[in-house]
Structure formats: structure tokens, C-alpha cells
Amino acid sequence: MTLADRLGGLAFGGDYNPEQWDEAVWREDDELMRRAGVNLATVGVFSWALLEPAEGEYDFAWLDDQLDRLHANGVAVDLATPTASPPPWFTLAHPDALPVTADGTRLVHGSRDTYCLVAPAYRDAARRIATALAERYGNHPAVALWHVHNEYLTLCWCDQVAAAFRNWLRRRYDGLDALNEAWGTAFWSQHYTAWDQVLPPRATQWHKNPGQALDFRRFWSDEALAAYREQRDAIRGHSDRLVTTNLMVPAYQNLDLWAFGREVDVVAIDHYPSGPGIDAAADTAFGGDRARSFGGGRPWLLMEQGTNTVYTADRILAKEPGEILRHSLGHLAHGADGTLFFQWRQSRAGAEQWHSAMVPHAGPDSRIHREVVALGSALGRLGELAGSTVRAHAAVLHDSDAWWSMDGDGLPSADLDYRSALARAHRALWNAGVTTDFAHPEHDLSRYRLVLAPALFLLSDAGAANLRRFVAGGGTLLVQYANGVVDDRLHARLGGYPAAPLREALGIRVEEHRPLARDERLVLSDGTHGDCWSESVRLHGAEAVAAYTTGMLAGSPALTRHGRGWYLSTRLDDAGYAALIARLLAAASVEPDLPGLPPGVEAVTRHAEDGRRWHIVLNHTAEPARLPASAHDLLTAGAIHEVRPGGCAVLRSP
Ligand code: GAL
């Protein structure tokens, strides 16, 4: 049974932390949730200290009351295991389960996420509390979903991690010789002669060994997945409800989200946009398209977003009026079957007291709460969309190994940035109105007409062969600079870049990288500009579409084409990149979901299995947006021919 089936529609609600409040407030919560149409509350994320006040002693009475109360009020529960925030008694009882930073500092409680994910004492405690919760609430009528942990994010470099890392390496490599070979330890006298010499990549004097650093990321992701599976399986022993964990799609990446996508019953992400205005809208699509893709196209759940201000170390972002609805429908457009917030009621005290919520400090008589209520009522009118999916003919390739390969020390340029290249490729398609999937380089790509491959600095042999197959099968492929440079052990490709099968598919050979200085801009023969990076490209069958005009590379190809295989050897300026993407879309016959809309107006189509279709139209501009034809809008329950500035529409397709 899907979540939407269990809820009878789209999910709407948020993190609910009633332990911060008293009975009078709970009564008000009941009424406000009913009025807003809340049907799902995430409970217990940070409740470990209350649920298990001393090791092995549980107190469930308060949670019994909360679940019963929510259930009586028609609100289903997404029940969390509280393992992201162990209580102080845990620290004192298990000091060896506290995290150690790369420079050797052991952290203590007083915040959250203070545990070493690998420490047996932590894993046992996490499994025990998850099991106890599942035994007690596995069949509770309120429980619709299990929320394991909260954002598997933290890393640790302690001795227990070192031991686990070695075990992981022993399984991966057929002996220490193979590890030495893979990590290239012949250089800098790093040769290992015994396993216990091998450490996690702790603080070092200078560049870390790249192979060691990459393997540590892989190891950590596997550990996090194992920790998730342990709790999931403990829960499944007592409950038939769906199990998930809230993934992050932030600016860094500690997890292989493809692997998590295979293990969760429904993909759930938290999303806090990386910028304001149109950038927030583009970032919403970027997050949503990844969430959908990690789940193989299934409907997913937006587990957390903010109603307004989000404070982080380096930015303060607030939502403008109308954005609560527009961002939420943005997630829906990209395939979510519901949208939740962090959190229901803004905390009066504690570490996140200034983080926005569905009921702000000012109370229900506030702009924010009114917009929340309006969203609840809009979602109530969109129930027929539940279970429908999004179809894309274009894909951007995304791989955590490639990401991690570009996080290391000693790269050919400090300005190569995986995430921004990935986001830029997606943004160019989004600007063109095209719906985009993400795919792993080794996935079957045959359903796509256009594939963009930005920033696959690391590309496996299998990935390179897969891309050659895609082009041979008639697909249009754009491979971008610094691609296929190393194999999956981070060993440089010899004889020229990229990997041989890809060189063949593209009809080129890259002989030399020429990273550019920060203020350097090269002019290409078609009038566009390149910055950041350039390459000396030799033609082996391809034709030059544009050439460099200055410097050592003057006259040599910058952009090439070999049948349907395109290669771009520099980072193009925005206009040049947009023009190239437009050309490729035309060549591959990929069209916007709803052609004819002005720039800044987004439209994505959701398809039901029985052939019904809905266009979700989001006007991110300050001008009214005319629709190509008048249509029935589910939000206003009438025919419309334009969408007001900043407004949204959900058009039922005839
Ligand atoms: C999330 C986290 C929440 C809350 C929120 C604030 O990453 O899961 O607990 O801290 O950020 O934006």
C-alpha cells in the first residue's frame, strides 16, 4: 500500500514535537491541524531522552497519549526513531561511541547528532530503541510511515571507525598488495606492509592519498546504509507500514543516494533552497528531480521544508508571500505525493527557536499560518494527482563516486566543482522548460533521447561503455570537460582522455588539460566564452563546431560533434551554454512539457496510469502568464487562461 493510499490523498503536515508544549497548546494544535487539513505528523525525531530516560528503561506513556490524540483527530503519524540525538546518559555510559573529528577532537553532547555511527554501542542502542518502538507501535492505527533516524550526515574518524574501515577494505581488495596498487602508494613512500597501518583519512600534513579518501567515502556510505537497514529490518519484524529515512540533497554528499533509493520504501528528502527567488524555484526542481530519480520514478515525499526563514551557518533565507504554495507545488510537479515542513509549531526555546514553522511565534493570526492553511486547502483539492508520475526524455548523469572524486586534494584545478556543474546542466534544461531525470552512468539510458554528462571526472569502464552504447543506439549525448579522466580507482586514463570507449563515441582525444586562472576568459570562434577550464582536443572523426581563438589553443577545437556525440571542452558562459542546450534539444526532438510559456514560467506534467494528465504551472515571474489554451484549473475549480504573477495552476488535461 502506498502512503497516498493509506492517507487517502496527498500528505500534508510536518515535524511535530509536542514534548516542547503543554496540554493547552496540544488542544490548540488539534484544532489548528484540523482546520489546516494536516493529515501527517512526524513524531519522535528528537525524543530519545524522553522515550528512554535511562539505559534500557522505557517510558512510552506520553507517546501513547500523543499517538492516540493525533489518531482521534484524523492525523496519521510518521513515527521516527530518535537515533539522531542520543541523550546525555548515553555519552557518559559510552564515551567510546562519541564522534572524533579528522583532527582527533572527541565531541561531547550538548547539541545533536553526537554519536559515532560505526560504534557498536551506538548501533546496539539504536537497534534496541527502534525495536522497542516497533514492538509497541508497529500496528498502531495512527502509524502510516516509519522515519528511521534523521539525515544520515555525520562522519567520524575514531579508532572504531579505523577498524571498520580496514574490514571494509579487506572485503574490497584481494590483499594488501591490491590496496597498495589501487591507492598508488608507490608514491610518497605510503606503502603499507600490515593492515593495522591503514587509517581513515585523518588530518594530514599535506594532500591526502586520493584513493584512501575516496574509499573512505564509499565505506561511510555503506556503513550508513547498513545502519539504516538494521533499523528498517527491526521495524519490519513488527510492522507492515512503509519505512524510510529523510535524505538530504545539499551542497555536499556523504551518501550514495542511488543506493539509499533502492532500500527505502518511499524516497523522502528534506529541501531548503540554496538561494532566493528564481534560484529557489530552480533548486526545488533540482532537488525534486533527484528525489524522483533516486526512487526509480516512483512518487516521493518532501519530508521537510521551511515555511519562511531558515538560519544556517552562512545564509539566512526567507520565503516571499506566495512561495509556500509555489515551492510546495514545485515539489509536487516534480513527482512528490505530499509536502511536510520542519516544524509544526515554532519552538519557544532551544537551538532552533528562530527557525520558521507552520505555526509561528506570532500564532495562527499570521501571514505564514494563513499561507499554510491555504496550502492545506489546495492540497485537499489535488488528491486525484496522488500516485501519478513524471516522464522525462532528457537526463543528466549523476554519480556519487564522481562527486567524491572531485572533493579530493591535488586536483588539476581547485575550481572544478561537481555540484555546481551538475546543477548548471539541470538548470539549463529547466530554463528551457524541459523535464529532466537524473541517471547513473551505468543505468540503462535507452529511454532517453538526450543525456548530459557534466563533471564525471571519475567514470568507470562500464560507464564509458554504456555511454558509447547510448550514442550507438541513437541517443544524443553531451559530454562536458574534465570527464572520464580517471577510472574507479582514481587512476588516470592513459593515452589521452576521456576513457577509450567514450573517445571512440565522441571521435576525439583530449591530449592536455589547460585549467584557466580565475579571471581568465577565452573567446571561442562562435562568439561564446569559456572560463575555468580548457583542453587541447584532437579530432579523430569528429568535426569542430567551435574553436578556441586565443592563446596556445588558438585554432584547436573547443566544441566538437561526432554524429550524435558532442564534446564540450570548456565551461561556457550562460548564454552560450543555453544556446548549445537548445540546439541539442532540437537535435534530439525533446520538447517542453507545455510549450509556449514565457521564461520563468514552469510547467511539468504528471501522468496517471489510466492516461489522465495534469500540467502543474508555476509562474515565478511578476507578470501574468498567458496559457497556450484555456484549461480547467483544479485550484480554482474553474477554467483559466492565465496564471497570476507568482501564482500556480494545476490544469487537468482533457
Ligand atoms: C533539517 C533537520 C531538522 C531541522 C531542519 C532545519 O536538516 O532534519 O531537524 O534542523 O534541518 O532547517
Side-chain angles (χ1 to χ4, degrees):
M1 190 191 269
T2 66
L3 183 62
D5 290 341
R6 201 170 273 284
L7 299 176
L10 302 171
F12 175 54
D15 276 47
Y16 184 45
N17 298 305
E19 58 266 47
Q20 302 179 81
W21 304 99
D22 60 19
E23 181 129 19
V25 175
W26 301 339
R27 298 287 153 232
E28 191 190 40
D29 288 341
D30 284 345
E31 197 196 320
L32 294 178
M33 285 189 187
R34 240 183 355 258
R35 270 204 254 148
V38 165
N39 62 5
L40 188 63
T42 301
V43 177
V45 179
F46 297 120
S47 308
W48 198 341
L50 273 192
L51 289 169
E52 191 179 356
E55 187 145 17
E57 282 173 30
Y58 299 109
D59 175 7
F60 291 124
W62 71 273
L63 188 56
D64 292 349
D65 291 348
Q66 294 296 339
L67 295 200
D68 292 347
R69 186 172 60 78
L70 286 161
H71 182 59
N73 199 36
V75 177
V77 169
D78 166 31
L79 188 56
T81 66
T83 53
S85 204
W89 61 252
F90 179 83
T91 306
L92 299 177
H94 305 286
D96 63 344
L98 295 180
V100 174
T101 59
D103 65 2
T105 307
R106 195 176 278 281
L107 305 177
V108 293
H109 66 254
S111 180
R112 69 186 217 199
D113 292 286
T114 314
Y115 54 84
C116 164
L117 189 67
V118 166
Y122 169 75
R123 287 279 270 277
D124 289 348
R127 209 174 25 238
R128 273 199 311 271
I129 183 90
T131 308
L133 282 164
E135 277 169 1
R136 191 168 186 95
Y137 301 109
N139 295 310
H140 192 289
V143 175
L145 180 66
W146 287 94
H147 179 299
V148 169
H149 198 79
N150 189 66
E151 298 177 340
Y152 282 101
L153 285 180
T154 53
L155 298 170
C156 176
W157 287 261
C158 74
D159 289 344
Q160 296 180 101
V161 166
F165 183 41
R166 278 178 215 122
N167 286 338
W168 183 93
L169 291 167
R170 280 170 182 267
R171 288 193 298 275
R172 183 176 181 88
Y173 294 105
D174 187 17
L176 210 46
D177 288 349
L179 177 129
N180 277 308
E181 161 68 15
W183 288 7
T185 59
F187 194 54
W188 278 6
S189 180
Q190 291 178 347
H191 189 81
Y192 296 104
T193 54
W195 278 103
D196 59 8
Q197 297 164 0
V198 180
L199 297 173
R202 292 176 177 157
T204 45
Q205 181 65 18
W206 201 37
H207 289 351
K208 292 185 190 13
N209 179 292
Q212 179 190 13
L214 173 62
D215 274 344
F216 186 70
R217 308 306 281 282
R218 290 167 165 157
F219 150 77
W220 195 268
S221 182
D222 285 356
E223 271 297 329
L225 192 59
Y228 167 75
R229 278 208 215 103
E230 276 167 24
Q231 289 201 38
R232 180 201 63 191
D233 295 348
I235 291 167
R236 280 189 181 162
H238 303 279
S239 183
D240 65 356
R241 313 297 148 84
L242 303 176
V243 188
T244 192
T245 183
N246 51 337
L247 303 170
M248 289 281 275
V249 283
Y252 54 91
Q253 196 55 266
N254 289 344
L255 305 178
D256 174 2
L257 296 181
W258 292 114
F260 270 79
R262 289 190 289 271
E263 299 285 343
V264 293
D265 293 332
V266 53
V267 168
I269 65 160
D270 298 344
H271 190 265
Y272 297 92
S274 57
I278 193 78
D279 293 338
D283 194 57
T284 297
F286 183 45
D289 285 339
R290 276 179 292 163
R292 185 185 69 251
S293 302
F294 295 139
R298 289 172 289 158
W300 54 278
L301 178 66
L302 180 68
M303 189 65 91
E304 287 181 25
Q305 62 168 329
T307 56
N308 192 26
T309 336
V310 175
Y311 293 82
T312 66
D314 57 348
R315 67 193 156 97
I316 300 173
L317 285 174
K319 283 207 205 298
E320 295 299 317
E323 283 187 334
I324 290 180
L325 178 67
R326 219 166 62 247
H327 290 179
S328 299
L329 293 195
H331 289 290
L332 229 64
H334 292 273
D337 260 3
T339 165
L340 313 183
F341 291 84
F342 178 85
Q343 58 179 328
W344 165 253
R345 193 179 272 278
Q346 186 169 9
S347 302
R348 184 166 36 191
E352 293 193 289
Q353 67 191 126
W354 304 113
H355 191 290
S356 58
M358 299 166 81
V359 184
H361 287 157
D365 182 12
S366 57
R367 169 185 78 85
I368 290 172
H369 189 67
R370 277 188 286 278
E371 289 199 30
V372 164
V373 172
L375 170 61
S377 123
L379 293 174
R381 274 169 270 148
L382 300 179
E384 65 188 64
L385 272 74
S388 62
T389 55
V390 173
R391 294 179 193 165
H393 298 295
V396 176
L397 299 183
H398 177 29
D399 176 25
S400 42
D401 269 3
W403 188 323
W404 295 330
S405 75
M406 292 172 74
D407 275 350
D409 295 331
L411 290 163
S413 161
D415 295 332
L416 288 176
D417 180 65
Y418 181 82
R419 187 188 183 273
S420 67
L422 185 77
R424 195 163 184 252
H426 178 269
R427 176 77 178 256
L429 292 166
W430 185 78
N431 286 341
V434 165
T435 298
T436 301
D437 276 351
F438 287 87
H440 187 273
E442 294 176 27
H443 282 170
D444 176 8
L445 302 172
S446 57
R447 88 176 89 140
Y448 301 113
R449 295 187 204 142
L450 174 65
V451 166
L452 306 188
L456 297 176
F457 185 74
L458 177 158
L459 179 63
S460 66
D461 293 347
N466 194 39
L467 295 189
R468 179 176 56 188
R469 250 192 324 274
F470 172 69
V471 180
T476 299
L477 173 71
L478 173 67
V479 175
Q480 294 179 199
Y481 57 95
N483 215 300
V485 176
V486 295
D487 65 13
D488 57 7
R489 302 188 308 170
L490 293 179
H491 289 204
R493 299 285 182 185
L494 301 182
Y497 320 105
L502 202 47
R503 291 206 299 266
E504 219 174 86
L506 300 170
I508 53 125
R509 186 170 76 97
V510 175
E511 187 184 313
E512 184 181 335
H513 294 149
R514 276 190 86 74
L516 301 176
R518 290 246 157 101
D519 55 357
E520 209 175 340
R521 249 160 85 87
L522 301 180
V523 181
L524 308 191
S525 57
D526 59 1
T528 61
H529 295 85
D531 69 0
C532 180
W533 183 267
S534 63
E535 293 171 352
S536 160
V537 179
R538 298 286 195 84
L539 300 177
H540 288 266
E543 58 177 292
V545 178
Y548 293 100
T549 62
T550 49
M552 167 195 123
L553 295 176
S556 85
L559 172 66
T560 68
R561 173 184 186 170
H562 185 48
R564 294 181 181 276
W566 295 67
Y567 186 71
L568 173 63
S569 66
T570 184
R571 187 170 76 181
L572 279 186
D573 60 85
D574 286 346
Y577 193 49
L580 173 60
I581 296 299
R583 190 166 170 184
L584 295 172
L585 287 167
S589 309
V590 178
E591 296 246 309
D593 276 14
L594 191 61
L597 292 172
V601 182
E602 179 179 6
V604 184
T605 307
R606 287 188 61 152
H607 302 257
E609 265 179 19
D610 60 12
R612 285 173 305 153
R613 289 189 304 156
W614 302 265
H615 302 298
I616 301 178
V617 185
L618 311 170
N619 183 358
H620 303 299
T621 77
E623 302 297 324
R626 274 204 83 76
L627 295 169
S630 99
H632 179 82
D633 172 32
L634 297 185
L635 295 177
T636 49
I640 59 163
H641 60 274
E642 71 173 27
V643 181
R644 63 175 181 75
C648 312
V650 180
L651 310 175
R652 194 192 274 140
S653 187

